[in-house]
Amino acid sequence: MKVAVFSSKPYDEASLAAANGGRHELTFLEAHLNARTAPLAAGHDAVCAFVNDNLSAPVLEGLKGVKLLALRSAGFNHVDLAAAEQLGMAVVRVPAYSPYAVAEHAVALVLALNRNIHRAHNRIREGNFALDGLMGFDLHGRTVGVIGTGKIGAVFAGIMRGFGCKVLAHDVTVNPECEAAGVQYVKLAQLFAESDVISLHCPLTPMTRHLIDDAALSRMKNGVMLINTSRGALIDTRAVIAGLKSGRVGYLGLDVYEEEAELFFEDLSGQVLQDDIFARLTTFPNVLITGHQAFFTHEAVKNIAETTIGNITEFEATGQCANAVKLPR
Ligand code: NAI
């Protein structure tokens, strides 16, 4: 198939070319997919897109002749599935590539925030060896709340159990593996009220959008640590900034941000930051942000490329794909 690969970085090109082995004709495009860049897909059978590409109805309408949307991601909240179906486009994704990559990054945020590693690193470089302000807490014996115990949440819960934490979970379905590992399923209200650390691992849906808002924050412990490696819009950023200012939120670790499409994956260091809300977030000493890199391990990038090429090959051969995303009925 002829595939237009949008938002392509050198590491995408290297991993996809290696997985492809010459099977498909891949056109690597640095541009994000949007209404302006959609015509670049002319003459291609498939579009390969990443998390911050725009796959809304007007953009899909501009992808003339495209039969397949091959997502290089697990999440598909950025795709208008109804429009894709109407336009006769199949949508395929990479449902699992390394839950360990994302779960371990979430743990990295917990540890760094708790022990102020980001601040200590800066201090040492300036010759400041004072410890004031760097005191952490033992994770052992603390209560960790996990929202969404699918592939990533389950790995995260297991790691935190290994630290000796009590793990509470909330999900629309119970994961028996988590239960067997000693995770206790509770209502959201109890998870909010009892957790010292809360980590989000559920998908972004209309139901989970702004799951963490003013009301949710008001039910949490004072000084709670919030970790989001899932999707930015799970958190109402304005509410969490208010929570940081009041002290309700004691630590915030983010790998994703509501308006990240305008920022993440690009080097904008020579430009003036236009997003005042994001700028405010970066001023807090107890906020640690990474730019959607939780997935970024050798193993995950290789798996994403191999599954993506496998999806395209399967669709070309059979017109179907085991990793197709179906419109909820
Ligand atoms: P998964 O589908 O295995 O698990 C998601 C879990 O969330 C399921 O158990 C589901 O029942 C649960 N869930 C759905 N609605 C819920 C609700 N209203 N309340 C509580 N739980 C709910 O997905 P996986 O692979 O664990 O990924 C989780 C999320 O992580 C993805 O949706 C994606 O947004 C994000 N992600 C982020 C990456 C990064 O680099 N930062 C990379 C990969 C995924």
Side-chain angles (χ1 to χ4, degrees):
M1 280 185 124
K2 287 188 170 180
V3 186
V5 184
F6 282 88
S7 298
S8 174
K9 298 287 181 195
Y11 47 82
D12 294 310
E13 192 164 338
S15 59
L16 285 166
N20 186 39
R23 259 178 293 180
H24 304 284
E25 206 175 302
L26 307 179
T27 308
F28 294 102
L29 302 160
E30 272 182 49
H32 288 310
L33 175 59
N34 54 40
R36 203 168 41 81
T37 60
L40 294 171
H44 293 81
D45 313 297
V47 154
C48 183
F50 198 46
V51 288
N52 289 331
D53 285 315
N54 181 339
L55 295 146
S56 61
V59 177
L60 297 185
E61 280 158 19
L63 297 174
K64 308 283 180 225
V66 167
K67 292 272 160 284
L68 177 67
L69 304 173
L71 309 178
R72 308 198 290 286
S73 58
F76 50 87
N77 53 283
H78 55 314
V79 186
D80 188 327
L81 294 176
E85 188 178 89
Q86 238 178 9
L87 292 163
M89 295 173 183
V91 182
V92 297
R93 66 176 182 133
V94 185
Y97 41 86
S98 170
Y100 310 105
V102 184
E104 288 170 13
H105 192 80
V107 175
L109 292 174
V110 172
L111 293 174
L113 277 167
N114 175 19
R115 306 308 291 269
N116 286 291
I117 303 297
H118 53 308
R119 299 180 66 203
H121 176 70
N122 288 338
R123 283 192 190 184
I124 297 294
R125 287 159 71 98
E126 291 195 353
N128 177 357
F129 302 100
L131 297 184
D132 316 64
L134 300 184
M135 195 181 290
F137 57 86
D138 284 9
L139 277 166
H140 184 94
R142 293 289 179 143
T143 301
V144 175
V146 183
I147 302 181
T149 52
K151 293 175 283 296
I152 296 169
V155 173
F156 177 82
I159 298 172
M160 299 319 288
R161 288 283 297 153
F163 278 124
C165 297
K166 173 179 176 184
V167 179
L168 302 179
H170 178 77
D171 198 315
V172 287
T173 53
V174 167
N175 181 339
E177 273 178 40
C178 285
E179 266 194 330
V183 172
Q184 193 189 331
Y185 280 85
V186 296
K187 290 204 165 30
L188 209 45
Q190 187 181 346
L191 185 148
F192 285 156
E194 294 181 11
S195 299
D196 301 296
V197 176
I198 296 176
S199 193
L200 308 179
H201 299 287
C202 58
L204 176 61
T205 64
M207 201 177 142
T208 60
R209 193 186 154 74
H210 287 186
L211 181 74
I212 307 300
D213 58 7
D214 285 315
L217 289 165
S218 71
R219 287 144 74 191
M220 292 178 194
K221 277 188 174 178
N222 231 11
V224 66
M225 180 187 292
L226 272 183
I227 304 291
N228 187 8
T229 56
S230 199
R231 284 292 180 266
L234 294 177
I235 292 183
D236 176 348
T237 315
R238 286 175 191 275
V240 94
I241 287 174
L244 283 159
K245 287 165 77 174
S246 72
R248 170 75 63 178
V249 178
Y251 312 80
L252 178 68
L254 300 179
D255 186 53
V256 286
Y257 167 61
E258 283 190 88
E259 304 299 334
E260 69 176 51
E262 302 299 319
L263 301 170
F264 287 4
F265 306 117
E266 306 302 329
D267 179 359
L268 306 179
S269 54
Q271 297 182 24
V272 173
L273 186 56
Q274 298 297 328
D275 183 332
D276 293 349
I277 294 177
F278 188 82
R280 182 67 178 101
L281 275 181
T282 64
T283 65
F284 294 97
N286 49 351
V287 173
L288 186 52
I289 306 175
T290 52
H292 209 134
Q293 70 171 77
F295 75 98
F296 203 49
T297 65
H298 288 290
E299 293 80 359
V301 169
K302 184 168 181 278
N303 288 340
I304 290 170
E306 288 175 354
T307 305
T308 299
I309 295 298
N311 286 345
I312 296 167
T313 305
E314 184 183 345
F315 181 81
E316 185 180 35
T318 66
Q320 293 177 346
C321 179
N323 291 329
V325 182
K326 297 276 179 256
L327 191 59
R329 301 280 174 205

